[in-house]
C-alpha cells in the first residue's frame, strides 16, 4: 500500500500549513485542515451524484480552489481524475465519451448533460451540513492503481493519455522530499496548470509535510510573487527568462542586482526549481549571481521526475543525478532510457497504434528520445532530442539545441527554432522578446553565434517572426516549449526563400 503519501493524504487531517490562492485581484488563504474538511464535503457531494471507486471525473478549469478540492475529493473516494488543460480541450459531450468521464467539471459556460460548473463545487465546499452526512469509507491505494490520467503537452497531434499509478506518485514525492526537505516555514509557489500532475505534487507535499503552498496562474504569477513572498518557486525556463528581463530592468533603475531580484521574487526564496525544457546556462548563472539558487532537473510525463540538481549535489551544465528509484541507461546511439522502481505506467491509455511500443519496453523502461551522457559521478547531461538532429547533404549530423541556446542568449530573442531546408543550409526562426523586434541586436547575435561554431553548424539566415511564439497562437506548448512543426508551417515560405531574413555576414 502507498500509505506514506496517498494513504496519508486521504486518511489524515493535516495539523499545520496553509494554502493560498493568489490572483490578480487578491489572495485567499485557507488552513490546510480547513481545505481537508472542505474536500470531505465535496467528496460527499460527489458521492450523492453517483461518483464512487473506479469512476473517472474530468477537470477542465483554470487553477483555483475548485480544482484542488475536486482532486482531493476524488482521492478520498478512490475515483480517478482526468486533468484537462484549458485551450487544448473543449468541454462537451464528445470529451466525456472519448475519455470515459462520468462527470466533467469546467469553469467554461457550457450547458450539456454531465457537464458541471466548478461554481457548484465551491458552493458544495461551503455546505457545513455535508459534515453530518454518512462517513466516507476508508480508502487504500495500491501502488499499481491509477489515480489520475494525465495528457502529454506534445507539440503535434492528439494529446496522448497516460494513467499515473499511485506507486509512481509515492516514489517521486518521497525522493523529492529526501533531497529538498520541505517543511514548516516553506511556501511552495505553483502557477503552471494543475492539469500537469507534477504541479499537484506540491499541494500533496504541503498536506504531508506541514508547509504552505501558494496556487496562482501564469498571468498573475509576478504580481502574486511580490505579494506572497514564497520560499520555493517552480517554473519553466520561459518564465525565468521573463523574470530575468524584469530584474534587469529594475536593476537599471534601482541599482543592486540583489535588491532588483528581491523586488520580483520577494525576500524569502530558498531556491528556484526549473525543468521541462533546457534552461540557457546564462540564465542559470544570472539567478545564482542574483542570490537565487536555481536547480535544473529532468523528467517526462512518461517517467515523472528522473534527475535533479539540489543543494547537496549540483553540477553546472547537468540536470542532476538520478533520484532514488530511477535508473538511467544510455544506448549505443546516445539515447537516454529510464527504468523506474515504480513506473508511471507501461503503456498509454489513449494514443495512436504503435505509440506505446515506440516509447515503453516490455518491462516499462522508457525510451525518452533525448540524447545525453552520464559523467563519472552519475550527473546527466542532455544534448537535445534525437529527432532534432539535422543531417546535412554532406552527411554531417548537427545537434540543434546548443546552437539554438547560443542564439537565444541575447535579451532581444525570446526563443528560436532551427530548420534545414533542402539539407543545405541552417535557417533559424526567431521569436522576438519585444515588438517591434530589435533587428540590429538579432543580427549581432547571429554573427556572434556563428563565430563560435564550426562551418557546418553556422546559421545562414534568421527569420524574425512578426508575432512572437505564444500558447494563444499555437506555437508554444503549455510548458512554453516551441512547437517545431507549427512554427515551420507558419513560416514555411520565408524559411524556403533564400532571399528572406537576416543573412549572416
Amino acid at each position: 500500500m502507498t500509505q506514506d503519501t496517498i494513504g496519508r493524504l486521504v486518511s489524515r487531517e493535516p495539523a499545520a500549513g496553509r494554502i493560498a490562492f493568489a490572483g490578480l485581484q487578491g489572495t485567499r488563504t485557507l488552513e490546510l485542515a480547513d481545505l481537508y474538511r472542505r474536500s470531505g464535503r465535496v467528496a460527499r457531494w460527489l458521492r450523492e451524484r453517483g461518483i464512487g471507486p473506479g469512476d473517472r471525473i474530468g477537470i477542465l478549469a483554470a487553477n483555483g480552489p475548485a480544482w484542488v478540492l475536486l482532486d482531493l475529493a476524488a482521492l478520498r473516494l478512490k475515483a480517478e481524475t482526468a486533468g484537462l488543460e484549458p485551450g487544448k480541450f473543449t468541454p462537451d459531450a464528445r470529451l466525456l465519451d472519448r475519455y470515459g468521464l462520468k462527470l466533467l467539471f469546467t469553469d467554461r459556460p457550457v450547458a450539456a448533460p454531465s457537464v458541471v460548473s466548478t461554481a457548484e463545487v465551491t458552493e458544495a465546499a461551503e455546505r457545513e451540513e455535508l459534515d453530518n452526512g454518512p462517513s466516507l469509507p476508508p480508502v487504500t491505494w495500491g501502488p499499481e492503481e491509477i489515480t489520475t490520467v494525465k495528457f502529454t503537452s506534445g507539440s503535434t497531434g492528439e494529446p496522448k493519455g497516460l494513467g499515473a499509478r499511485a506507486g509512481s506518485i509515492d516514489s517521486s514525492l518521497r525522493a523529492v522530499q529526501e533531497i529538498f526537505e520541505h517543511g514548516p516555514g516553506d511556501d511552495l509557489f505553483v502557477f503552471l496548470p494543475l492539469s500537469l500532475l507534477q504541479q499537484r505534487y506540491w499541494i500533496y507535499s504541503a498536506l504531508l509535510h506541514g508547509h504552505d503552498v501558494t496556487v496562482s496562474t501564469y498571468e498573475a504569477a509576478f504580481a502574486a510573487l511580490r505579494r506572497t513572498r514564497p520560499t520555493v518557486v517552480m517554473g519553466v525556463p520561459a518564465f525565468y527568462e521573463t523574470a530575468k528581463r524584469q530584474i534587469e530592468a529594475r536593476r537599471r533603475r534601482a541599482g543592486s542586482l540583489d535588491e532588483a531580484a528581491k523586488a520580483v521574487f520577494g525576500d524569502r526564496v530558498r531556491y528556484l526549481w526549473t525543468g521541462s525544457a533546457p534552461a540557457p546556462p546564462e540564465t542559470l548563472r544570472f539567478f545564482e549571481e542574483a542570490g537565487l539558487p536555481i536547480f535544473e532537473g529532468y523528467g517526462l510525463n512518461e517517467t515523472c521526475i528522473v534527475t535533479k540538481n539540489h543543494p547537496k549535489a549540483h553540477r553546472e551544465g547537468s540536470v542532476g543525478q538520478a533520484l532514488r528509484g530511477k535508473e538511467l541507461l544510455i544506448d549505443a546511439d546516445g539515447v537516454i532510457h529510464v527504468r523506474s522502481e515504480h513506473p508511471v505506467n507501461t503503456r498509454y491509455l489513449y494514443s495512436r497504434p504503435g505509440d506505446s511500443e515506440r516509447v515503453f519496453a516490455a518491462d516499462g523502461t522508457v525510451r525518452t528520445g533525448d540524447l545525453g551522457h552520464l559523467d563519472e559521478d552519475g550527473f546527466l547531461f542532455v544534448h537535445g532530442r534525437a529527432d532534432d538532429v539535422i543531417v546535412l547533404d554532406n552527411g554531417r549530423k548537427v545537434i540543434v539545441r546548443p546552437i539554438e541556446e547560443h542564439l537565444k542568449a541575447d535579451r532581444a530573442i525570446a526563443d528560436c527554432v532551427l530548420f534545414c531546408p533542402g539539407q543545405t543550409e541552417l535557417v533559424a526562426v526567431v521569436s522576438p522578446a519585444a515588438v517591434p523586434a530589435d533587428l540590429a541586436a538579432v543580427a549581432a547575435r547571429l554573427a556572434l553565434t556563428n563565430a563560435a561554431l564550426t562551418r557546418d553548424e553556422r546559421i545562414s539566415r534568421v527569420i524574425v517572426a512578426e508575432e512572437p511564439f505564444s500558447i494563444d497562437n499555437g506555437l508554444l506548448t503549455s510548458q512554453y516549449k516551441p512547437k517545431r512543426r507549427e512554427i515551420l508551417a507558419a513560416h514555411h515560405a520565408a524559411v524556403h526563400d533564400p532571399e528572406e531574413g537576416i543573412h549572416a555576414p
Side-chain angles (χ1 to χ4, degrees):
M1 299 298 180
T2 56
Q3 294 301 312
D4 285 349
T5 54
I6 304 296
R8 287 162 58 198
L9 285 176
V10 300
S11 64
R12 188 184 72 177
E13 181 177 300
R18 297 181 302 172
I19 185 168
F21 297 95
L24 290 172
Q25 304 305 315
T27 302
R28 180 191 180 194
T29 302
L30 293 174
E31 299 295 322
L32 289 177
D34 190 13
L35 178 76
Y36 182 83
R37 288 191 291 270
R38 289 167 184 259
S39 74
R41 294 171 190 166
V42 174
R44 291 182 177 90
W45 176 73
L46 287 175
R47 192 167 59 174
E48 289 176 357
R49 302 191 69 126
I51 301 300
D55 290 326
R56 183 183 297 160
I57 63 171
I59 310 173
L60 199 168
N63 290 2
W67 222 120
V68 176
L69 289 165
L70 282 167
D71 187 53
L72 294 178
L75 286 172
R76 295 181 68 174
L77 290 175
K78 206 171 183 181
E80 293 180 15
T81 56
L84 302 161
E85 186 181 325
K88 187 172 290 184
F89 297 92
T90 302
D92 55 26
R94 289 173 297 177
L95 197 62
L96 283 103
D97 293 339
R98 187 188 311 153
Y99 296 120
L101 307 177
K102 194 160 185 179
L103 294 173
L104 172 63
F105 295 89
T106 183
D107 55 4
R108 275 55 178 166
V110 177
S114 301
V115 178
V116 184
S117 169
T118 51
E120 294 188 40
V121 179
T122 307
E123 291 170 5
E126 299 288 344
R127 290 173 51 193
E128 294 183 6
E129 70 272 16
L130 287 168
D131 293 334
N132 302 319
S135 298
L136 296 172
V139 167
T140 57
W141 286 92
E144 295 193 358
E145 292 181 301
I146 293 172
T147 72
T148 190
V149 179
K150 55 181 179 175
F151 295 88
T152 66
S153 59
S155 59
T156 60
E158 189 81 17
K160 293 189 285 290
L162 186 68
R165 294 170 171 175
S168 171
I169 297 171
D170 174 81
S171 176
S172 296
L173 284 170
R174 284 188 286 109
V176 168
Q177 181 62 16
E178 182 179 289
I179 59 178
F180 284 110
E181 299 176 339
H182 300 132
D186 272 322
D187 184 351
L188 277 61
F189 188 82
V190 176
F191 64 89
L192 293 175
L194 291 172
S195 53
L196 305 172
L197 175 59
Q198 187 176 323
Q199 305 310 303
R200 284 175 261 163
Y201 281 7
W202 316 126
I203 298 169
Y204 301 163
S205 175
L207 291 162
L208 290 165
H209 303 298
H211 59 74
D212 297 345
V213 61
T214 296
V215 178
S216 187
T217 63
Y218 200 99
E219 294 74 19
F222 287 107
L225 277 170
R226 292 189 290 272
R227 204 163 59 233
T228 58
R229 299 169 56 242
T231 63
V232 179
V233 179
M234 313 288 181
V236 293
F239 167 78
Y240 290 114
E241 287 292 303
T242 302
K244 178 174 176 283
R245 289 193 290 271
Q246 289 198 16
I247 293 169
E248 287 172 332
R250 287 178 177 274
R251 184 186 186 185
R252 288 193 293 273
R253 295 195 304 267
S256 84
L257 178 59
D258 180 66
E259 289 304 314
K262 287 179 180 177
V264 173
F265 281 90
D267 58 358
R268 296 202 306 145
V269 169
R270 179 155 74 92
Y271 76 92
L272 308 176
W273 172 301
T274 186
S276 86
E282 296 83 359
T283 299
L284 299 176
R285 284 194 288 270
F286 174 86
F287 283 100
E288 293 287 349
E289 292 168 2
L292 299 172
I294 184 166
F295 298 108
E296 195 169 13
Y298 175 74
L300 293 78
N301 269 304
E302 293 81 359
T303 62
C304 201
I305 306 167
V306 177
T307 68
K308 191 69 186 174
N309 280 304
H310 56 91
K312 300 171 189 174
H314 179 212
R315 184 152 296 170
E316 185 174 348
S318 82
V319 291
Q321 296 171 319
L323 272 64
R324 186 184 299 276
K326 303 290 185 183
E327 181 183 1
L328 292 163
L329 307 166
I330 312 294
D331 69 17
D333 296 320
V335 176
I336 303 165
H337 297 244
V338 178
R339 183 177 293 152
S340 303
E341 181 180 350
H342 293 285
V344 174
N345 211 305
T346 57
R347 64 182 299 105
Y348 296 112
L349 286 178
Y350 301 98
S351 65
R352 296 169 300 186
D355 280 350
S356 291
E357 291 75 14
R358 280 189 286 272
V359 174
F360 298 98
D363 65 352
T365 298
V366 172
R367 182 189 186 277
T368 69
D370 290 318
L371 299 170
H373 79 273
L374 293 166
D375 71 7
E376 65 278 5
D377 296 316
F379 285 89
L380 177 65
F381 293 76
V382 180
H383 306 312
R385 295 287 298 169
D387 293 342
D388 295 335
V389 174
I390 289 173
V391 182
L392 302 176
D393 59 357
N394 62 6
R396 174 72 189 276
K397 293 181 179 179
V398 177
I399 299 175
V400 301
R401 174 181 159 185
I403 303 172
E404 292 169 346
E405 286 184 354
H406 199 290
L407 188 62
K408 71 179 185 181
D410 192 278
R411 69 177 62 178
I413 300 173
D415 217 326
C416 69
V417 178
L418 210 59
F419 299 105
C420 186
Q423 290 184 278
T424 57
E425 62 170 342
L426 299 181
V427 177
V429 178
V430 159
S431 175
V435 177
D438 187 340
L439 299 181
V442 174
R445 189 65 194 180
L446 172 60
L448 187 63
T449 296
N450 278 343
L453 300 172
T454 66
R455 185 181 66 180
D456 286 331
E457 295 173 324
R458 289 173 189 153
I459 301 165
S460 65
R461 294 182 288 123
V462 170
I463 309 300
V464 180
E466 292 184 6
E467 181 183 9
F469 307 162
S470 70
I471 294 174
D472 290 340
N473 64 21
L475 301 183
L476 292 179
T477 71
S478 62
Q479 297 187 55
Y480 297 85
K481 300 176 185 177
K483 295 183 175 181
R484 292 178 182 271
R485 183 178 297 181
E486 284 81 353
I487 291 167
L488 178 58
H491 301 90
H492 185 273
V495 168
H496 287 82
D497 185 342
E499 300 301 318
E500 286 287 335
I502 299 172
H503 288 69

